[in-house]
Amino acid sequence: MKIEVPTIRDLGRVWGMISDRQTLIGPKVVMVDIINQCDLHCVMCFYHSSLLSKRPDYQTWAMGQMSCEQFASLLQDLSQLGTEFVTLCGAGEPFLHPDIKKMFALMAKYRFKSQIISNGIHINRDILDDLIEIRLERLTISLHAADSKTYQIIHPLSEEDAFESLKVNLLYLKQRKAYLKSRYPKLSIINVISSLNCYNLIDMAEFAYSVGAQRIWFKPLSIAEETKEVLSLKEEDIIRIRADLKFLRRKIKLEHNIGEFMDGLTPQLDIQVDKSCRWARNRFCYLPWIRANITTEGEVLSCIYQGRSFLGNIQRQPFSIIWNSKEYREFRKNKRCPEHCLGAAVYPFVNIVGSINRIKNRISVIVPES
């Protein structure tokens, strides 16, 4: 896995982390939900899946979006805090936002390393040319399949030719970048693994490589009770996944999170965690020092797996005030990862902050709780 060279800003975050003092600088990465509307309704989505009972206010909530004015104000605040990466994502599809081009222009104005997570359905050649021109740092496609048949099972509202159309567009991006001798946008493919696609991991890697992706990410499934029967992995599935990933790990030429994803599978199968150790129930979490998530409604979270424990709302006060608030400082000091944290696979240790966290967790295995 690629290791990032720490910057002066990273060292400032590390100092705040190890000293348990007030942060010296803002988050390195901020994930911003800009829209709730989506037109694919992936079966494993905990917002739109047809397998889930919809929240009472679903119709109203699904039409929610962050205003361009609110977004501009947030970016100005993040720029002053020293944030480096801004990722457009959301409970919905970012390219459905009517002001998406204005938002890209704003991110370019403040010179953020911009990223976007998309299902890719609304991306065409004109949009891809725009993304190359503005030097978007990274385009991440939520795919979850390696063929048309699996794609339609997981994306029940997709058109019959959606997978092939997406493949054609990604190949165009690969060819266009080669012609212009451009590295940007870097392409990532992300696959949430469930019982519906768990035997396609090798094909997923081959697809990612064929369309010019630099990274493939395997993401653990967040199981709801209503989706458990259809989507959860069985013991034989996990055995097959581990075998395929061990093979891939030796052969793959892309940046990946295979090790972290496999670690997340291990406790489900045959490893009994010693609950007397801090590793099991008192693991230090580094995310509150380097990342933040902001919902379409302006709510601030440290992690998408945090639930609805909001730390503030940017519609009521600037993000900088929330980030440096007493409540956020207490949250950082007391935050501990659960025994099996899904975020461990999604946010692998790719920088100095994460490396220190990993060392702390390893040491804590041999230090019993007092």
Side-chain angles (χ1 to χ4, degrees), residues 50-202:
S50 59
L51 299 177
L52 295 175
S53 299
K54 297 296 189 293
R55 50 192 286 176
D57 63 341
Y58 175 79
Q59 295 300 329
T60 302
W61 171 85
M63 298 308 295
Q65 60 187 40
M66 182 176 289
S67 70
C68 200
E69 293 74 21
Q70 179 74 77
F71 185 71
S73 177
L74 172 63
L75 291 188
Q76 184 177 16
D77 209 13
L78 295 178
S79 177
Q80 294 171 353
L81 280 172
T83 296
E84 298 163 48
F85 293 86
V86 173
T87 300
L88 300 186
C89 50
E93 167 52 42
F95 279 102
L96 290 176
H97 198 292
D99 292 323
I100 186 68
K101 289 189 175 181
K102 292 181 182 178
M103 290 178 166
F104 280 134
L106 285 167
M107 290 192 291
K109 173 184 175 181
Y110 289 103
R111 299 186 177 182
F112 289 111
K113 292 182 179 179
S114 307
Q115 308 176 77
I116 188 164
I117 302 175
S118 167
N119 61 36
I121 295 301
H122 299 277
I123 297 176
N124 54 37
R125 293 190 175 192
D126 289 339
I127 290 176
L128 291 172
D129 286 339
D130 289 342
L131 299 184
I132 294 172
E133 183 177 352
I134 66 173
R135 292 176 64 84
L136 182 78
E137 176 73 17
R138 187 175 297 278
L139 171 64
T140 296
I141 300 296
S142 295
L143 191 60
H144 322 303
D147 58 76
S148 293
K149 181 179 179 180
T150 306
Y151 187 88
Q152 282 201 284
I153 292 172
I154 293 176
H155 307 84
L157 299 186
S158 64
E159 298 291 337
E160 188 174 345
D161 63 345
F163 180 84
E164 291 303 322
S165 295
L166 179 55
K167 180 179 180 179
V168 168
N169 284 328
L170 294 180
L171 286 171
Y172 171 79
L173 175 63
K174 175 184 178 181
Q175 295 161 1
R176 192 65 178 162
K177 284 165 57 180
Y179 176 76
L180 296 173
K181 297 181 179 179
S182 174
R183 295 172 55 208
Y184 302 99
K186 299 172 186 175
L187 178 63
S188 294
I189 303 293
I190 190 165
N191 299 287
V192 174
I193 304 304
S194 70
S195 62
L196 301 179
N197 61 5
C198 63
Y199 293 99
N200 303 126
L201 304 190
I202 294 175

Side-chain angles (χ1 to χ4, degrees), residues 299-315:
E299 303 286 3
V300 178
L301 304 95
S302 173
C303 174
I304 59 173
Y305 299 108
Q306 182 183 324
R308 296 183 63 82
S309 301
F310 302 128
L311 297 164
N313 190 301
I314 63 170
Q315 294 181 6

Side-chain angles (χ1 to χ4, degrees), residues 20 27 41 47 93 95 99 107 127 153 156 160 178 193 196 211 238 241 248 272 286 303 317 335 341 345 353 368:
D20 282 334
H41 294 199
Y47 297 110
E93 167 52 42
F95 279 102
D99 292 323
M107 290 192 291
I127 290 176
I153 292 172
E160 188 174 345
I193 304 304
L196 301 179
V211 296
I238 296 175
I241 289 171
L248 270 181
Q272 295 299 314
Y286 72 96
C303 174
Q317 56 187 161
K335 178 70 171 70
C341 178
V353 182

Side-chain angles (χ1 to χ4, degrees), residues 125-358:
R125 293 190 175 192
D126 289 339
I127 290 176
L128 291 172
D129 286 339
D130 289 342
L131 299 184
I132 294 172
E133 183 177 352
I134 66 173
R135 292 176 64 84
L136 182 78
E137 176 73 17
R138 187 175 297 278
L139 171 64
T140 296
I141 300 296
S142 295
L143 191 60
H144 322 303
D147 58 76
S148 293
K149 181 179 179 180
T150 306
Y151 187 88
Q152 282 201 284
I153 292 172
I154 293 176
H155 307 84
L157 299 186
S158 64
E159 298 291 337
E160 188 174 345
D161 63 345
F163 180 84
E164 291 303 322
S165 295
L166 179 55
K167 180 179 180 179
V168 168
N169 284 328
L170 294 180
L171 286 171
Y172 171 79
L173 175 63
K174 175 184 178 181
Q175 295 161 1
R176 192 65 178 162
K177 284 165 57 180
Y179 176 76
L180 296 173
K181 297 181 179 179
S182 174
R183 295 172 55 208
Y184 302 99
K186 299 172 186 175
L187 178 63
S188 294
I189 303 293
I190 190 165
N191 299 287
V192 174
I193 304 304
S194 70
S195 62
L196 301 179
N197 61 5
C198 63
Y199 293 99
N200 303 126
L201 304 190
I202 294 175
D203 291 338
M204 288 174 178
E206 290 177 349
F207 176 88
Y209 184 77
S210 72
V211 296
Q214 286 75 44
R215 172 194 289 177
I216 184 168
W217 237 233
F218 297 105
K219 187 175 178 181
L221 181 67
S222 181
I223 292 285
E225 192 61 37
E226 293 170 284
T227 63
K228 192 172 184 179
E229 184 177 347
V230 177
L231 301 178
S232 60
L233 298 171
K234 299 177 176 60
E235 182 174 328
E236 57 267 30
D237 297 332
I238 296 175
I239 293 172
R240 170 65 181 271
I241 289 171
R242 293 177 74 185
D244 285 349
L245 289 179
K246 285 180 180 179
F247 171 81
L248 270 181
R249 201 172 188 178
R250 296 193 301 268
K251 303 290 185 179
I252 197 166
K253 299 179 181 179
L254 307 175
E255 184 182 346
H256 60 82
N257 68 331
I258 288 176
E260 288 77 13
F261 183 78
M262 288 179 68
D263 287 346
L265 290 174
T266 298
Q268 299 180 43
L269 187 59
D270 55 11
I271 300 297
Q272 295 299 314
V273 177
D274 181 358
K275 291 179 169 44
S276 68
C277 292
R278 291 178 185 173
W279 183 86
R281 53 180 179 174
N282 198 30
R283 292 185 298 160
F284 178 84
C285 180
Y286 72 96
L287 289 181
W289 299 93
I290 66 170
R291 301 181 74 98
N293 293 70
I294 302 175
T295 71
T296 303
E297 297 77 26
E299 303 286 3
V300 178
L301 304 95
S302 173
C303 174
I304 59 173
Y305 299 108
Q306 182 183 324
R308 296 183 63 82
S309 301
F310 302 128
L311 297 164
N313 190 301
I314 63 170
Q315 294 181 6
R316 294 192 290 270
Q317 56 187 161
F319 177 81
S320 55
I321 293 178
I322 298 171
W323 178 255
N324 292 305
S325 67
K326 179 181 178 181
E327 291 78 13
Y328 219 131
R329 291 200 301 272
E330 287 298 312
F331 178 82
R332 292 187 191 97
K333 184 176 180 180
N334 298 317
K335 178 70 171 70
R336 295 295 182 268
C337 287
E339 180 181 335
H340 305 313
C341 178
L342 295 177
V346 181
Y347 307 117
F349 305 106
V350 294
N351 54 51
I352 188 171
V353 182
S355 298
I356 289 177
N357 178 49
R358 179 164 54 182

